[in-house]
Amino acid sequence: MDDVATRIWQQLGASLHAGPSPHATAAAVAVAAALATVLLGPAWRVLRVVVTLVHELGHALVGLAAGRRFAGFTVNPDMSGATTTSGATRGPGLVLTTLAGYPMPAVVGAAIVHAATGGYARGVLVGIAVVLLLVLVRARSAHTVTVLLGALAADLALWWFAGSAPVGAAVLGLGVFLLAGAWRQLVNVARHGDRSQDPGVLAARTHVPAAVWVLCLGAVLAAATWWAGCSLAPFLPLP
């Protein structure tokens, strides 16, 4: 038991320091696999729950930063989700909280790509585990708890058992998946114009057209994509 505790402590310490960056071939494969997962219907239907989870936690994080109270959240079997915050019924805090959902997977994805290309993939896994444990008590459905525990188990298994090369590739792929998934979700909501989605809700609260909000969200996604692209450029065979 002492040996296991010692190894955990040592691995935690090592996770805080930069390891090897992904090999160019592994990075290219990880990016291609992540993009294929987003573009292929069957894979996307199963794994888009990860994007939904980050979307909902984006509402919660920005809500807390804006002085609102985070009451809880759900991720539903149909891959939709909902986050409940309480506070002022109008004002910039509520607008920012509503605005945060769609860009958050892109911002988090770009940050993960930047960290993975810098050799901090194992540290990213530690950070993910901490976040999942913190939000577990805010889950408001059995399905949400199941999703969180499944994600936590996969995260810890990768952190504990995988070598540096597989961890780097997997974390890099996760970042690209979140970024590409954010684009897919935004394009989908822009195409269908569902007034119950965030741009429609923002339009109702601010009297600014939903199309303007979609453009604002797209600008954030574009900035995140540029950041991720700058991080990836040295690792990919670009012309």
Side-chain angles (χ1 to χ4, degrees):
M1 189 67 179
D2 289 342
D3 290 343
V4 172
T6 300
R7 185 182 170 192
I8 291 173
W9 184 253
Q10 290 174 341
Q11 190 140 314
L12 280 171
S15 299
L16 301 178
H17 298 87
S21 298
H23 188 273
T25 301
V29 171
V31 170
L35 294 176
T37 301
V38 173
L39 294 174
L40 296 176
W44 172 249
R45 282 193 290 272
V46 173
L47 295 176
R48 65 177 178 169
V49 65
V50 178
V51 181
T52 301
L53 177 60
V54 179
H55 176 118
E56 298 306 329
L57 294 180
H59 287 308
L61 176 63
V62 174
L64 288 170
R68 300 180 64 80
R69 180 179 176 275
F70 175 32
F73 74 106
T74 58
V75 175
N76 303 317
D78 65 357
M79 304 302 174
S80 65
T83 298
T84 302
T85 63
S86 58
T89 57
R90 63 176 63 187
L94 183 58
V95 170
L96 289 172
T97 300
T98 306
L99 189 64
Y102 279 99
M104 190 58 69
V107 173
V108 171
I112 288 175
V113 167
H114 182 73
T117 55
Y120 288 95
R122 208 174 289 276
V124 169
L125 295 177
V126 174
I128 290 173
V130 171
V131 171
L132 291 174
L133 287 170
L134 288 174
V135 301
L136 188 59
V137 295
R138 298 296 184 185
R140 292 295 179 261
S141 73
H143 184 264
T144 308
V145 171
T146 301
V147 168
L148 291 173
L149 291 178
L152 181 62
D155 179 87
L156 291 177
L158 183 64
W159 176 75
W160 183 253
F161 294 109
S164 296
V167 166
V171 172
L172 179 60
L174 172 62
V176 175
F177 172 77
L178 286 172
L179 182 57
W183 276 111
R184 175 160 180 165
Q185 288 197 333
L186 182 62
V187 169
N188 184 64
V189 77
R191 286 177 55 199
H192 292 89
D194 186 348
R195 304 293 292 181
S196 68
Q197 297 299 318
D198 295 349
V201 173
L202 286 164
R205 288 174 175 168
T206 64
H207 305 295
V208 175
V212 174
W213 288 113
V214 170
L215 289 174
C216 291
L217 294 169
V220 178
L221 266 62
T225 303
W226 177 84
W227 182 24
C230 291
S231 299
L232 280 170
F235 297 87
L236 299 180
L238 298 175

